[in-house]
Amino acid sequence: MEDNNAIRALVLGAAAGGGLPQWNCGCANCRLARNPNGGLRPQTQSSLAVTANGHDWALLNASPDIRSQIEANPVLHPRALRDTPIASVLVTNGDIDHIAGLLILREKQPFRLFTTPAIGDILAANPVFEVLDSNCVERITVALDQPFTLVNGIEATLFAVPGKLPLFMEGENPETALEGEQTVGVELTGSGKRIYYIPGCGRLTDRLTDRIGGADLLFFDGTVFNDDEMARAGTGLKTGRRMGHMPMSGEGGSIDALKGLAIGRTIYVHINNTNPVWQQGPERRAAEQAGYEIGYDGMEVHLT
């Protein structure tokens, strides 16, 4: 029986851009995820679905894996010949792993698309997104810090989070902790609960900790465990912070920075394929012993 007094949050994709395994990566995690006996389940790219009534759902980010994510979760299946429970989609930045899935949702199906002005401009500047027929898809521009109805029973507020421009818009020396409309977090309220979704965060500021303190549930950026993780794995030279993501560990890491904020549950999402927390080991134990959870595809949380 559906609980109509509960917010449900369903992790559609827990991995960062590229997923796990990433198509061109042979790191230890990717090799295990490709092996049916490796003990590491594949994970799709970053997205969350929420509902307050079990019938009308909102997607937070539309990953390139959105089709397989819908198929893997029967609550998102059509209920008639042409139908979807997805009433709205909200995009938190212009990264490919958060907007490419919009191209999959092009089959003349009505839904509302929420963006900030800056993110909306990214979509408007690329004519490929015109496949979202304006007669079906209502594009709604939302100002920061202004509450709006995301889906029946859930109010949302967007707020600035330190981050950077999408990779395809970077210059030679991009600012990695910009605060504005280009990277946002989402506050969700309903049924007396307060939830935050922050899949990308370059730095945890005092203003941000003041906002999220005391929340019932937080989904937070878990891209890398160590800032130099990609270099350690031999997969790249960029640090987590250079990519606009604070690490989980070390000085200024989120494991320590989130301590003492009296948050009911904190779940890491947007986890890179190189992150050692995918496997059992000292890094995962450090996160779990500090009271945090590692998200995974299909993870569902009910807040009553």
Side-chain angles (χ1 to χ4, degrees), residues 20 40 46 89 123 176 182 226-227 261 269:
L20 176 71
L40 188 53
S46 176
V89 179
L123 300 180
T176 58
Q182 76 288 335
N226 300 293
D227 194 38
L261 297 187
V269 292

Side-chain angles (χ1 to χ4, degrees), residues 2 29 42 46 69 72 90 206 210 279 294:
E2 299 284 358
N29 285 342
S46 176
Q69 291 168 344
L90 185 157
D206 290 342
D210 288 345
Q279 299 187 50
I294 307 304

Side-chain angles (χ1 to χ4, degrees), residues 29-163:
N29 285 342
C30 288
R31 292 198 305 271
L32 287 175
R34 288 191 181 97
N35 181 353
N37 300 314
L40 188 53
R41 184 176 143 203
Q43 306 288 322
T44 60
Q45 296 170 83
S46 176
S47 183
L48 185 76
V50 295
T51 184
N53 60 17
H55 300 285
D56 305 302
W57 290 79
L59 303 187
L60 307 185
N61 291 322
S63 91
D65 298 318
I66 190 64
R67 180 186 175 278
S68 63
Q69 291 168 344
I70 290 171
E71 291 307 306
N73 293 281
V75 295
L76 300 180
H77 290 179
R79 299 156 297 192
L81 181 61
R82 281 288 190 270
D83 172 74
T84 180
I86 299 169
S88 55
V89 179
L90 185 157
V91 179
T92 64
N93 65 21
D95 286 346
I96 293 297
D97 52 320
H98 288 160
I99 65 174
L102 293 172
L103 301 177
I104 306 299
L105 306 177
R106 67 184 186 275
E107 277 84 13
K108 304 290 185 181
Q109 182 63 46
F111 63 89
R112 292 171 297 166
L113 174 59
F114 294 98
T115 68
T116 66
I119 298 170
D121 286 347
I122 292 173
L123 300 180
N126 193 327
V128 72
F129 288 104
E130 293 305 312
V131 297
L132 296 174
D133 189 340
S134 60
N135 293 316
C136 295
V137 178
E138 182 183 6
R139 298 194 188 191
I140 303 172
T141 301
V142 179
L144 297 181
D145 300 308
Q146 296 297 314
F148 62 96
T149 299
L150 176 65
V151 70
N152 286 338
I154 300 179
E155 294 291 305
T157 303
L158 305 184
F159 53 91
V161 172

Side-chain angles (χ1 to χ4, degrees), residues 260-281:
L261 297 187
I263 296 170
R265 291 177 69 178
T266 298
I267 299 171
Y268 280 114
V269 292
H270 197 276
I271 304 169
N272 199 52
N273 61 297
T274 55
N275 195 320
V277 299
W278 284 126
Q279 299 187 50
Q280 295 298 328

